[in-house]
Amino acid sequence: MAHTLPLPAASTEPAGDWTLWAENLRRDGLSPLGRNFPGGALIVFGHDLRFLAAGGAGLAQVGLSRDALEGKSPAEAFGEATALGMKPAFRMALDGHEATIEIPHAGRVLSISLTAVTSEAGAVLGGMGFVQDVTRARRQEQQLRDSVEQFRLAFDNAPIGMAIVGLDGEFRQVNPALCALTGYEAEQLLRLRFQDITHRDDLDADLHLLGELVRGERSTYQIEKRYCKANGDHVWTVLSVAIVRTAVGHPLHFISQIQDISARKGSELELLAAHSFQQAVLAASPDIIHVHDVRTPTTLWTSRDLTQTLGHSLEGDSTGLETSSGYLLPAADSERFADAVGEACKAGDGEVVELRHQVQRPGGSLRWVSTRLTPFQNAPDGSVSHILGVSRDVTDLVAFEARLEHAALHDELTGLPNRRLINLRLAQALERADDPTKVVVLFCDLDGFKRVNDAHGHQIGDVLLRECATRLISATRSGDTVGRMGGDEFVVLLSVGESEDSGQLAAEVAERLIRSVGQPTIIGATEHVITASIGICIAESGSSPDDLLRDADTAMYQAKLNGRDGYALFVPALREDACSRDALVRHLRRSLADNTLSVHYQLIVDPVTGKVTEVEALLRIPGENGRLLDTAAAVRVAEQTGLMGAVGERVLRQACEQVAAWRRMPQHAELRVAVNLSATEIARPGLYDRVTGIVAACCMDLTALTLEITETVLLDAASGTLLDLRRLHAVGVGIAIDDFGTGYAGLRYLATLPVTEIKVDRSFTCGLPHDPVSSTIVRATVGLASELGMGCVVEGVETREQLDALPSAPGLRVQGYLFGRPEAAGVEPPRIR
């Protein structure tokens, strides 16, 4: 805004009065006007742009003086280069427009705000400027711009996902790493809230911690959670969140760091290289990273204090796990750790020494820790001088593995040892026994259990099985082993003392078992009475666990033939019923020759779409009376007599021919078929050539075939067989583990063998939805398959309740009587009933 200069009313020479006014300003130093601007200076200039006056309390503060300005042109006062930039602004002010210009002067930045000085009649007499030193402000502004740019570069180029999130959860700013992790474009994420892409099972915990953050109960938090990617997949991450507040403490927004923990094992060196992000990532990481000087020995650095996890602080030794109060490591683990440090010192670049050990807390409790050690720095002589260690508390993981191992070795219904553990204990007993006759097996089958189960349902049957298990344990001694083979079959392994007679002891225990089981059981208002048929087998020289169980089973059937509710001792004459076995063998051979073996098909269904995705081919053998023979018994005989190879090839060929015909129908073009492979078929050389030859002859795609193999058979497979399975997997054939969890083969084979699918055994499904153990195992198995990128089929789904109790997971499919029983082939595949 122009300043108006009051002139005498009779004056006709405003320019002359302006000159007089400017002279007065020079004489008085712009006082008192200048006192109103203590932080800067005032300058007055005429139409020729020369400075007429200068002053103000802050004149010296801005690096100017009256002598350097008054009577001078801009070029004389500030130099030609600066004057070129000043003149347009000065002219603009003289034209009646306010203007501001910044000029360099004596190492400073001066800001000059310019305006015209006019007479009361509106004539422009000259110009006036207010000068301020803005050097510090401009420096601060530049520093702020540099800081903002640094943050932007760090944010945009971060190798982990980062986001600025509003208080209501909306994404305000995201970086490319977060887009890559979630599969969303930045524009898509900025229209979403983090709640929209958080797995529903993880959302409550995340929101709870977020609330504590907003309320000031914590400054940061870290949580493992799943994000739902744009393609529908889930990705496990470690989320670290901090809150940004105003100067008075009001929350503004959140800063989130999201790390894909599926790749974290290989990311440690990348994090070290990305030094600008190291502190934030390490502070949020659940791992403890430590660097040790092997020569001193001392711990040079840790990513965070061990007290956060283990309750100790590091004071230094070669392991980095010793305190002033004593060793953290128990004696055995301390020695193993020292050996691992020695191995790490000898390791090459990129090699890692890994071990799992325990750490003792100050109160004496033990925690499990997984530590990875690798060479970090070499001394001048080339030897390793520093070791990098990464430690993680895996106590919960160890406990989970122990639960899985227990579940794999024990029957989920009764808690008794299962078939696998029974075999292991039998093998140990036979190996330890100096006298093999001191190893005695009792095979117990419940008479009438099927009748109760069919009449009153599986739930009552399960209660009855648990009660029988309790009674069997109470009727045996502390050194004996009671196990469940499956269904209503139990096994007792007796511990026979040196002075005891094996036969007499076995008879006494069998009688106690029969009396105990035979007592009425009241469930609800109903009394149930079942009995036990028991077979006894005393080991001989050369007996194997399978021999003992087989012969005890044979004796048990003899006890059933004798009228049940009793026991029978195995004798060699009972080993086989030669006549019935021979008749069954002849029937199998005749069925193969006459091509009367039949294949029935059971549906495998996608529970989400209700679509039939696959059928399982099941062997059926018509008998002479038209009724189907016992398939399991026939398969056992076929395996014992060498017929299983021919039977298996016949089933595979017939199934592939039939499914190939169905697939030629457009509506069934994606149908797959699953075929069981027995132990005999797996063990026969040339598996790859047989399977691919049959599939090619049937004009069916290899990708339409899944081979089902039990986990025990897969674990015991020879190297040549595993090679054939890998070759089949490579050409698209699916490899499914059948009856998963009923044996114990360990979990490592899931990563090392060509497994594409897990089939949850019906024994787990039958406990749904009421049995918590069955529910836990089914959820864990389905989740395990999903995390490993494998398909999963839950067998034995017979009720809607069981179907509804299944967890949702990508690729989950179901099979069972709820959708239909196995049927013979028709023009089209069986349909859901």
Side-chain angles (χ1 to χ4, degrees), residues 684-691 724:
R684 284 179 62 202
L687 175 64
Y688 175 85
D689 293 334
R690 287 198 308 277
V691 171
D724 278 348

Side-chain angles (χ1 to χ4, degrees), residues 39-116:
L42 285 175
I43 59 174
V44 177
F45 56 92
H47 285 275
D48 60 356
L49 303 187
R50 287 186 175 275
F51 297 108
L52 300 176
L59 185 63
Q61 294 179 18
V62 298
L64 299 175
S65 67
R66 294 178 61 186
D67 292 341
L69 291 177
E70 291 177 349
K72 304 289 194 305
S73 69
E76 293 169 339
F78 295 101
E80 288 291 346
T82 302
L84 287 174
M86 296 174 63
K87 289 178 180 180
F90 278 44
R91 294 294 184 192
M92 185 181 298
L94 293 173
D95 289 338
H97 304 288
E98 292 184 355
T100 300
I101 184 173
E102 291 186 2
I103 63 171
H105 178 66
R108 307 179 186 216
V109 178
L110 302 181
S111 175
I112 307 176
S113 300
L114 301 167
T115 185

